[in-house]
């Protein structure tokens, strides 16, 4: 329980005091205090002012006196603040022992928010016609980190990747291969997904502008894709599977893994849409339009002056939203599962099984990847569509929070980074556009980060083997990419800058990782195994207590991140933890003190910091090397 044990003790004692005063239904807060307000503070005095007809300051004095008589283990004293807050000061000898002892447990920081209930996190969902670019990485890392946090919060998480293998962008590369003579083999040294995106897709879209007749070819190709038995559909399946394989390799390299791949083409051919469409009509959630520009169409009425949304055109064909509605219902387990399951051809790192849906019979047992709640990670440009789907699912599920759209803003490249990666943007930030070929694939960014890290590591550690340097460079490159995608608010656009992101100072992954390496070096130099059998009363310097406090707050940060689906909370925690350790490192010595008891106590604290940071970074999908 760590620092939360202190909060729980205070909450329980305050409830007993209110009970003795015959006062109920007061929803006061008890939370870590701001500087100058002790270790924990409560707003209880403000909430009692009306009923007791006294000022918050007077009530704080009254409550302080009553609290002194409570049974306290972790509180050393309580003081009323002139503003009216009730401030509590920890018994740090006892609290330090509790926090540092518990930090050594494997489950440290775990909470039980989910009660082992099933939850779905769907992310990535990139068209299998190109390599993943730096903009996609925000979606992928965000979804993966949310899944990690929810697992830490005792949810049974199913991670899904929806493969949009039947849309226009797939039709475009099929047109390129079938009608523009592109070779099915990529040039030597170029991954197939890069080739499809950089060459086939871009050149094909240029052809539409040059020759209007190709638009008709495109429409026919798209229609043939929806017929699973057509030669075009079979060819497309072969091509998109090859692209998907390369995309997954990129994800796996970034430490991102899935439980199941779902394919849009199978959603279309499964008959799920027909069942859902009938259900929508029965529940009067769609209307047939007789007049106006949407005459002959089935629509969903817009709200708050929004335009009506067509889901079935006048020619009887379904729009793209008609694919997303049945998939959303499937994720929530609202309809019978029409799929069989088989294992993906390649094994994910760590031997985690990756399943995929299929419409053909399978010898594998039936799987269940649905959830009581679904979180779908899609950028904010899809907010209108997701709002419609969320609204429909709330009607089916009779709850407003069963289907959650976790939106985020896009990623651009700084002008310097764009130039380094070969894009001419006239000194401006680079906005991604796969159609125009204005994008930088994630593999290239990773390779450049890794190259720069190898170069820097060789300067610092000439004694290291190539293998060690390569491994450190991988950890730092992945950590850098992931951290830059997580540390910002979701509603803020990210401008990725290669040089700034690799800095060993400021709010960066390398700064945090280097702090971990510093702690590792202290323990290594001590030649001792840190123990929790130490004198905790010796840890009384302000920098020591500040570090112990933030270690103990881990659980509270995890709860905040899980409740609000906010990976940034954990990123901020990791940075604050690193800052606190560096302050401790600057203020006190750990080794060569001539006082073995004090050395052991401080080594215990250093070790506690190290393993807590490792656990927190693991939630972000970041590994901290012992040397940098």
């Amino acid at each position: 329980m760590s620092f939360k044990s202190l909060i729980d003790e205070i909450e329980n004692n305050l409830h007993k005091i209110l009970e003795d005063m015959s006062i109920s239904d007061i929803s006061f807060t008890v939370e870590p205090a701001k500087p100058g307000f002790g270790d924990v503070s409560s707003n209880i005095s403000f909430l009692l002012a009306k009923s007791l007809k006294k000022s918050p300051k007077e009530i704080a004095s009254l409550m302080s006196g009553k609290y002194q008589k409570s049974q306290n283990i972790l509180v050393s004293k309580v003081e009323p603040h002139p503003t009216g807050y009730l401030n509590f000061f920890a018994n740090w000898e006892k609290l330090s022992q509790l926090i540092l002892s518990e930090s050594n447990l494997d489950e440290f920081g775990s909470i039980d928010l989910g009660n082992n209930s099933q939850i779905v996190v769907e992310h990535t969902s990139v068209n299998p016609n190109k390599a993943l670019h730096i903009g996609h990485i925000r979606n992928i890392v965000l979804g993966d980190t949310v899944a990690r946090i929810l697992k830490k919060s005792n949810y049974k998480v199913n991670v899904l990747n929806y493969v949009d293998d039947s849309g226009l962008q797939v039709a475009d590369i099929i047109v390129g291969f079938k009608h523009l003579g592109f070779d099915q083999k990529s040039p030597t040294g170029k991954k197939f997904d890069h080739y499809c995106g950089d060459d086939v897709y871009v050149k094909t879209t240029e052809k539409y502008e040059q020759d209007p007749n190709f638009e008709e070819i495109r429409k026919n190709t798209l229609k043939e894709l929806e017929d699973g038995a057509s030669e075009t559909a079979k060819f497309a399946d072969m091509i998109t599977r090859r692209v998907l394989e390369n995309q997954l390799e990129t994800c796996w390299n970034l430490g991102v893994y899935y439980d199941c791949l779902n394919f849009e083409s199978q959603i279309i051919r499964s008959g799920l849409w027909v069942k859902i469409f009938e259900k929508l009509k029965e529940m009067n959630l769609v209307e047939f339009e007789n007049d106006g520009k949407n005459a002959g169409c089935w629509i969903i009425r817009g709200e708050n002056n929004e335009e009506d949304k067509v889901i079935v055109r006048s020619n009887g064909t379904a729009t793209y939203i008609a694919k997303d509605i049945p998939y959303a219902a499937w994720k929530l387990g609202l309809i019978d599962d029409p799929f069989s399951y088989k294992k993906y051809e390649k094994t994910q790192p760590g031997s985690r099984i990756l399943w995929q849906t299929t419409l053909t019979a399978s010898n594998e047992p039936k799987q269940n990847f649905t959830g009581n709640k679904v979180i779908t990670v899609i950028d904010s440009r899809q907010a209108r569509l997701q709002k419609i789907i969320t609204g429909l699912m709330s009607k089916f599920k009779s709850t407003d929070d069963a289907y959650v759209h976790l939106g985020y803003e896009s990623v651009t490249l700084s002008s310097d980074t764009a130039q380094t990666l070969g894009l001419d943007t006239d000194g401006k930030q680079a906005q991604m556009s796969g159609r125009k070929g204005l994008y930088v694939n994630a593999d290239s960014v990773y390779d450049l980060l890794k190259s720069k890290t190898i170069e820097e590591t060789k300067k610092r550690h000439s004694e290291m083997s190539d293998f060690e340097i390569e491994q450190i460079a991988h950890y730092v490159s992945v950590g850098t990419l992931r951290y830059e995608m997580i540390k910002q608010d979701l509603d803020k656009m990210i401008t990725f800058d290669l040089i700034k992101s690799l800095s060993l100072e400021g709010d960066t992954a390398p700064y945090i990782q280097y702090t971990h390496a510093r702690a590792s070096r202290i323990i290594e130099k001590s030649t001792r195994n840190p123990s929790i059998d130490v004198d905790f009363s010796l840890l009384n310097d302000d920098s020591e207590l500040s570090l112990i406090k933030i270690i103990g707050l881990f659980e509270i940060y995890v709860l905040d991140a899980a409740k609000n689906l906010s990976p940034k909370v954990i990123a901020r925690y990791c940075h604050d933890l690193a800052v606190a350790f560096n302050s401790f490192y600057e203020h006190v010595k750990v080794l060569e003190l001539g006082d073995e008891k004090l050395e052991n106590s401080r080594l215990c604290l250093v070790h506690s910091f190290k393993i807590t940071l490792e656990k927190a970074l693991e939630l972000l999908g970041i590994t901290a090397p012992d040397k940098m």
Side-chain angles (χ1 to χ4, degrees):
M1 294 290 285
S2 58
F3 197 85
K4 194 171 183 303
S5 299
L6 173 62
I7 291 175
D8 289 345
E9 179 181 298
I10 294 168
E11 281 185 345
N12 291 335
N13 284 336
L14 287 177
H15 278 298
K16 289 175 183 175
I17 292 171
L18 290 179
E19 187 178 326
D20 291 341
M21 296 171 68
S22 300
I23 297 174
S24 58
D25 300 324
I26 298 294
S27 298
F28 60 87
T29 61
V30 176
E31 54 193 11
K34 296 176 181 177
F37 288 80
D39 296 308
V40 173
S41 63
S42 175
N43 66 347
I44 190 169
S45 303
F46 298 93
L47 302 178
L48 291 172
K50 186 176 181 180
S51 60
L52 295 182
K53 294 182 173 56
K54 295 178 185 290
S55 70
K57 180 181 177 181
E58 291 175 303
I59 296 171
S61 295
L62 172 68
M63 296 297 288
S64 174
K66 290 181 176 294
Y67 196 93
Q68 303 286 3
K69 302 172 185 177
S70 301
Q71 185 177 3
N72 291 301
I73 299 173
L74 299 176
V75 173
S76 64
K77 65 176 179 176
V78 56
E79 289 182 353
H81 193 272
T83 59
Y85 280 97
L86 200 58
N87 298 336
F88 302 85
F89 295 79
N91 179 331
W92 275 107
E93 181 178 348
K94 291 181 179 177
L95 188 58
S96 295
Q97 181 175 5
L98 177 66
I99 290 173
L100 299 185
S101 297
E102 289 195 358
S103 69
N104 281 262
L105 302 176
D106 290 340
E107 63 271 20
F108 183 60
S110 297
I111 58 171
D112 188 9
L113 184 66
N115 196 27
N116 202 35
S117 61
Q118 290 207 149
I119 192 167
V120 169
V121 177
E122 180 218 331
H123 65 84
T124 307
S125 307
V126 179
N127 294 297
N129 72 320
K130 57 184 171 293
L132 302 174
H133 62 58
I134 190 67
H136 296 135
I137 297 304
R138 189 173 194 185
N139 179 303
I140 295 165
V141 171
L142 174 59
D144 181 68
T145 306
V146 166
R148 289 168 183 262
I149 292 168
L150 292 174
K151 286 177 184 175
K152 188 76 170 175
S153 307
N154 197 27
Y155 283 95
K156 184 179 179 183
V157 184
N158 291 319
V159 182
L160 309 182
N161 181 355
Y162 180 66
V163 183
D164 185 1
D165 61 343
S166 64
L168 277 174
Q169 294 190 39
V170 169
D172 289 338
I173 62 169
I174 301 309
V175 169
F177 282 118
K178 288 287 191 180
H179 300 279
L180 293 179
F182 279 98
D183 198 320
Q184 292 179 37
K185 185 178 180 181
S186 58
T188 302
K190 193 166 192 176
K191 284 176 66 184
F192 188 70
D193 58 340
H194 294 191
Y195 167 59
C196 286
D198 297 346
D199 302 323
V200 182
Y201 181 52
V202 172
K203 296 296 183 184
T204 303
T205 54
E206 288 176 356
K207 186 68 175 177
Y208 296 142
E209 297 174 5
Q210 299 165 0
D211 186 350
N213 293 327
F214 262 77
E215 280 291 349
E216 192 62 30
I217 296 174
R218 186 193 203 192
K219 289 179 183 177
N220 291 335
T221 300
L222 187 62
K223 187 175 181 181
E224 290 169 8
L225 284 178
E226 295 191 2
D227 177 8
S230 71
E231 289 303 314
T232 298
K234 293 175 182 176
F235 177 75
D237 185 65
M238 182 268 294
I239 292 293
T240 55
R241 291 284 178 151
R242 288 175 63 189
V243 174
L244 175 63
E245 180 181 334
N246 284 169
Q247 289 179 341
L248 288 174
E249 288 169 356
T250 300
C251 295
W252 294 340
N253 187 52
L254 296 177
V256 178
Y257 313 114
Y258 308 89
D259 294 307
C260 186
L261 303 173
N262 311 92
F263 298 87
E264 185 178 78
S265 59
Q266 295 175 16
I267 296 285
I268 295 170
R269 299 163 196 160
S270 67
L272 284 179
W273 166 242
V274 175
K275 295 177 183 178
I276 286 293
F277 188 36
E278 290 305 313
K279 193 167 184 177
L280 291 172
K281 288 190 283 188
E282 287 172 16
M283 297 175 69
N284 296 317
L285 297 175
V286 295
E287 298 179 31
F288 185 79
E289 188 69 280
N290 292 300
D291 305 302
K293 66 176 183 179
N294 293 329
C297 301
W298 284 92
I299 63 168
I300 296 175
R301 289 289 180 204
E303 298 178 355
N304 302 321
N305 298 319
E306 292 177 331
E307 287 189 3
D308 298 334
K309 194 72 175 178
V310 175
I311 63 168
V312 177
R313 304 181 184 92
S314 57
N315 63 4
T317 60
T319 61
Y320 65 92
I321 192 175
K323 305 167 187 175
D324 292 331
I325 295 172
Y327 180 51
W330 175 85
K331 287 184 284 187
L332 281 169
L334 299 175
I335 46 181
D336 292 335
D337 185 0
F339 303 115
S340 295
Y341 295 85
K342 62 181 182 179
K343 293 174 183 174
Y344 186 66
E345 293 81 7
K346 287 198 171 184
T347 304
Q348 298 182 105
S351 300
R352 178 168 168 177
I353 296 175
L354 175 58
W355 294 92
Q356 57 183 333
T357 56
T358 177
L359 292 173
T360 58
S362 170
N363 293 325
E364 299 287 358
K366 189 78 171 179
Q367 302 296 312
N368 179 12
F369 293 109
T370 63
N372 302 315
K373 184 172 183 174
V374 171
I375 298 160
T376 180
V377 184
I378 301 178
D379 76 62
S380 299
R381 290 172 295 183
Q382 299 292 324
R384 171 81 201 286
L385 170 61
Q386 290 303 310
K387 179 182 175 184
I388 292 171
I389 294 174
T390 298
L392 292 175
M393 293 305 108
S394 68
K395 300 288 196 309
F396 291 161
K397 192 79 172 176
S398 300
T399 178
D400 291 332
D401 64 347
Y403 199 87
V404 177
H405 168 219
L406 190 60
Y408 61 92
E409 289 300 326
S410 59
V411 180
T412 63
L413 296 174
S414 71
S415 57
D416 289 344
T417 299
Q419 187 175 13
T420 301
L421 290 162
L423 286 180
D424 183 9
T425 61
D426 295 324
K428 299 177 182 177
Q429 297 175 358
Q431 186 77 45
M432 310 297 160
S433 173
R435 180 177 293 275
K436 296 178 182 178
L438 293 176
Y439 75 94
V440 175
N441 66 67
D443 295 326
S444 296
V445 177
Y446 166 82
D447 289 341
L448 192 53
L449 285 168
K450 188 175 179 181
S451 174
K452 288 186 174 298
T453 306
I454 287 174
E455 181 182 333
E456 188 63 31
T457 306
K458 282 183 176 179
K459 289 179 186 176
R460 292 169 176 264
H461 296 285
S462 57
E463 80 285 357
M464 281 188 184
S465 68
D466 289 344
F467 174 79
E468 283 182 294
I469 292 174
E470 183 90 9
Q471 191 173 55
I472 289 171
H474 171 69
Y475 291 150
V476 171
S477 303
V478 171
T480 297
L481 263 177
R482 293 188 65 118
Y483 193 77
E484 293 299 309
M485 298 299 126
I486 292 168
K487 72 177 186 181
Q488 296 284 2
D489 289 318
L490 298 184
D491 60 353
K492 298 289 192 302
M493 185 179 289
I494 291 175
T495 299
F496 181 77
D497 187 281
L498 197 70
I499 303 302
K500 290 179 182 177
S501 68
L502 280 173
S503 174
L504 290 177
E505 298 178 355
D507 190 9
T508 67
Y511 167 76
I512 297 168
Q513 290 172 311
Y514 184 73
T515 305
H516 174 272
R518 173 174 280 173
S520 299
R521 178 60 179 151
I522 292 172
I523 294 171
E524 181 186 14
K525 285 178 68 176
S526 77
T527 67
R528 281 175 261 176
N529 290 322
S531 165
I532 58 171
D533 184 18
V534 299
D535 186 346
F536 294 98
S537 68
L538 298 177
L539 299 172
N540 50 32
D541 185 85
D542 285 346
S543 65
E544 293 170 329
L545 298 181
S546 294
L547 179 55
I548 295 169
K549 181 176 181 179
I550 195 167
I551 290 171
L553 289 173
F554 185 27
E555 179 185 53
I556 293 173
Y557 276 80
V558 172
L559 180 62
D560 184 5
K563 278 187 171 180
N564 296 294
L565 302 178
S566 178
K568 178 191 172 181
V569 170
I570 303 299
R572 187 174 72 243
Y573 176 75
C574 290
H575 180 257
D576 290 350
L577 193 56
V579 169
F581 180 81
N582 284 323
S583 176
F584 159 80
Y585 181 81
E586 291 167 6
H587 282 88
V588 300
K589 285 183 66 176
V590 178
L591 304 178
E592 300 175 1
L593 299 175
D595 184 337
E596 187 175 351
K597 284 188 176 182
L598 182 56
E599 282 188 16
N600 286 337
S601 296
R602 288 179 176 169
L603 274 174
C604 173
L605 176 53
V606 171
H607 182 251
S608 178
F609 158 77
K610 178 180 181 292
I611 58 180
T612 300
L613 183 59
E614 288 169 357
K615 290 182 176 74
L617 285 174
E618 186 179 2
L619 295 180
L620 304 182
I622 297 173
T623 300
D626 287 336
K627 293 180 181 180
M628 277 183 67

